[in-house]
Amino acid sequence: MDSIFFTLSKFGTVLLYPLPVFFLLAILLLFKTKSGHGKFRLFQIILFLYLASNAFVANFLVQSLEKDFPPISIKDLPKAEVAIVLGGMIQTISAHPGRPELSDSADRLTDAVRIYKAGKVKKILFTGGSGLLFADVYKEADLAKELFLDLGVPEKDLIWENKSRNTYENAVETKKLLAENKLNSSILITSAFHMKRAAGCFEKQEISFVPYPTDYRATNLQSGAFELYIPSAGFLEQTTMAIKEWVGYFVYRAKSYL
């Protein structure tokens, strides 16, 4: 009985999700629309949103960014002087201001602590201010410092930079801090989907680093999970993220940031 309830609950909850409900209503409207031109326009809208919220399309786009940066075991990392952690995992406009709220990219921060505690680096440099337009009261680096301290990293081993607003500025500001602290070797930590653009920026600034990708978003499409075949906001978010990252990469190339 529990198995039947579990199965029915999975099918039933699909009807509560906004996207599947949208598609059901849109398809119903498609059949009720009499104009051939109107049907075609509505079909285009339905198809576009379906593809953007589809697991297979989202996965293809995410993998196009992650494929060149496979996972690395911490024990296989060479030792370096400092771990450079790129911001993007702390909510700076939380409903509870000043309280560190980790987002989906939390692996960037937690893996930095793991690398530090494994003895691979002696210091952690966190770079990131606020990338939000008109909302820069709280800086990621300031909130991250609190988390690092709570996780057992001594303040003497922390370096933080809270001025940068994007990946390019992360690299520029980090270069200044590395020079000030006479640090030459580093491990660059960021999400796998973001590493292509980040690595290009840091190479452009002639910063010596070993890339450590984390926070992988690609999905195992061979799992056969029912949820893979249902349009979802999660897959739509992945598609949006991947498109944004590719656009950012080519814009950075045009601006010679890479």
Side-chain angles (χ1 to χ4, degrees):
M1 182 62 71
D2 286 345
S3 296
I4 295 174
F5 174 76
F6 176 76
T7 303
L8 290 175
S9 69
K10 287 296 180 180
F11 279 104
T13 52
V14 168
L15 299 176
L16 300 176
Y17 299 154
L19 274 179
V21 170
F22 165 81
F23 284 116
L24 289 173
L25 294 175
I27 291 171
L28 180 62
L29 181 60
L30 185 65
F31 282 112
K32 288 195 171 187
T33 301
K34 295 179 180 179
S35 165
H37 185 69
K39 277 182 181 287
F40 181 66
R41 286 290 179 88
L42 182 56
F43 174 76
Q44 286 180 310
I45 294 171
I46 294 171
L47 180 62
F48 173 79
L49 188 56
Y50 175 75
L51 291 175
S53 58
N54 178 278
F56 296 87
V57 173
N59 204 61
F60 172 78
L61 292 171
V62 171
Q63 282 192 322
S64 70
L65 291 161
E66 295 184 344
K67 63 182 176 64
D68 293 331
F69 302 98
I72 303 170
S73 171
I74 290 179
K75 65 181 177 59
D76 293 331
L77 274 176
K79 288 190 175 183
E81 293 173 295
V82 61
I84 301 170
V85 187
L86 301 194
M89 81 294 287
I90 298 178
Q91 174 66 269
T92 57
I93 52 171
S94 167
H96 307 284
R99 184 181 188 277
E101 297 280 355
L102 292 173
S103 68
D104 291 344
S105 299
D107 288 358
R108 300 185 191 185
L109 189 147
T110 55
D111 278 356
V113 175
R114 292 173 63 212
I115 289 169
Y116 172 83
K117 291 193 173 182
K120 295 295 183 176
V121 295
K122 296 179 180 179
K123 293 186 179 294
I124 294 175
L125 188 160
F126 186 98
T127 170
S130 174
L132 299 173
L133 194 61
F134 309 130
D136 59 355
V137 175
Y138 293 99
K139 313 287 188 178
E140 259 201 274
D142 300 333
L143 297 171
K145 179 186 175 184
E146 181 180 337
L147 287 171
F148 280 124
L149 292 173
D150 289 344
L151 291 171
V153 181
E155 187 168 359
K156 66 180 179 62
D157 291 339
L158 291 174
I159 304 170
W160 60 97
E161 177 282 303
N162 65 5
K163 298 177 183 177
S164 57
R165 299 167 297 177
N166 55 36
T167 307
Y168 167 70
E169 292 182 4
N170 287 154
V172 171
E173 296 299 329
T174 294
K175 183 177 183 179
K176 297 175 186 177
L177 287 174
L178 292 176
E180 287 176 16
N181 290 274
K182 298 179 181 178
L183 299 169
N184 299 305
S185 60
S186 63
I187 296 172
L188 180 64
I189 305 171
T190 190
S191 301
F193 71 84
H194 182 237
M195 184 60 79
K196 185 179 183 71
R197 183 158 58 108
C201 288
F202 278 73
E203 287 169 357
K204 184 75 172 183
Q205 296 300 317
E206 300 181 337
I207 295 171
S208 175
F209 67 89
V210 172
Y212 184 84
T214 186
D215 178 33
Y216 289 87
R217 304 294 181 92
T219 307
N220 177 12
L221 298 179
Q222 308 304 317
S223 66
F226 166 70
E227 286 79 2
L228 292 176
Y229 302 95
I230 304 299
S232 78
F235 296 132
L236 180 60
E237 181 183 6
Q238 285 192 1
T239 299
T240 304
M241 174 199 73
I243 292 173
K244 173 181 177 290
E245 193 58 37
W246 272 118
V247 169
Y249 176 78
F250 287 113
V251 168
Y252 272 33
R253 281 188 62 178
K255 293 281 290 180
S256 297
Y257 288 170
L258 305 175

